[in-house]
Amino acid sequence: MTSELHEPDWLLISASTAKAGDALRVQVWRKLRSLGALYLQQSVCLLPARPAVVKDVRRLVDRIRHQGGTARVLSMGFTVAAEEQAMIAEFNAARDTEYAEVLERLPAFLDELEKELARGNATYAEVEESEADLERFRSWLAKIAARDYFAAPGGEAARDAVAHAADALAAFERATLSVEAPAEAAAAPIGKSEWPRAVEGP
């Protein structure tokens, strides 16, 4: 035989919100997208049966049914290993597309740091703004990684790029410190022990 029955390590999810409100339809779409579900056809998608995924899907199904929709989840396994590998490749391609978007947007972050340095605008306010931007990239990357079930090859480059951006921001902060710290020191009030001693007369 050229095929072999695998353990049921996938979830086939069928969900319909046609009889429910638009709010539920959006919630279901967002949740399945956040889990990285791969749609096989309208309202039918596939996810690996990881423990955390199973838990999230069960909660989602309960919500759908409670709010007037219909949902069914089937455990399944592939009978042909090549078909399973092809499905995994589709999951990885979807994650690589997301990682590529991170890589596409990071150069603008680095360019902004360089421009601010060139303008002599290395300030603490810029550091704070850039830290917030970097945190958004980190959060974005973490969300992609959470649904990267099969270690898509694009993940390493995206992680390296975000780490490089963090290093660039650290360098920008050092430049800011060298500009602002001397000015702050000069403007600081003189402590009691630093007042010049009175010159005693002869």
Side-chain angles (χ1 to χ4, degrees), residues 21 58 93 99 104 117 130 132 136 166 177 184 190 192 199:
R58 283 176 178 167
Y99 285 129
E104 193 176 292
L117 279 175
S130 297
R136 281 190 285 271
L177 182 65
E184 291 174 2
I190 300 176
K192 185 176 180 180
V199 178

Side-chain angles (χ1 to χ4, degrees), residues 11-31:
L11 300 177
L12 187 66
I13 306 155
S14 172
S16 174
T17 59
K19 296 181 180 179
D22 288 342
L24 179 62
R25 180 173 58 84
V26 172
Q27 290 171 12
V28 171
W29 175 78
R30 286 176 61 88
K31 185 59 181 179

Side-chain angles (χ1 to χ4, degrees), residues 37-113:
L38 185 66
Y39 277 84
L40 305 180
Q41 62 184 51
Q42 187 175 3
S43 302
V44 179
C45 60
L46 191 69
L47 278 167
R50 307 292 172 87
V53 174
V54 171
K55 187 175 181 180
D56 281 344
V57 168
R58 283 176 178 167
R59 287 176 177 172
L60 180 62
V61 167
D62 287 344
R63 185 192 310 170
I64 293 170
R65 291 172 177 169
H66 181 71
Q67 296 185 31
T70 59
R72 177 174 293 177
V73 181
L74 302 176
S75 296
M76 59 160 281
F78 284 87
T79 58
V80 179
E83 290 181 357
E84 184 173 39
Q85 289 304 312
M87 193 60 63
I88 290 173
E90 287 193 48
F91 271 90
N92 282 347
R95 299 294 80 78
D96 279 342
T97 297
E98 295 178 328
Y99 285 129
E101 191 172 353
V102 175
L103 291 170
E104 193 176 292
R105 296 194 185 185
L106 272 170
F109 173 85
L110 299 172
D111 289 345
E112 184 64 21
L113 292 180

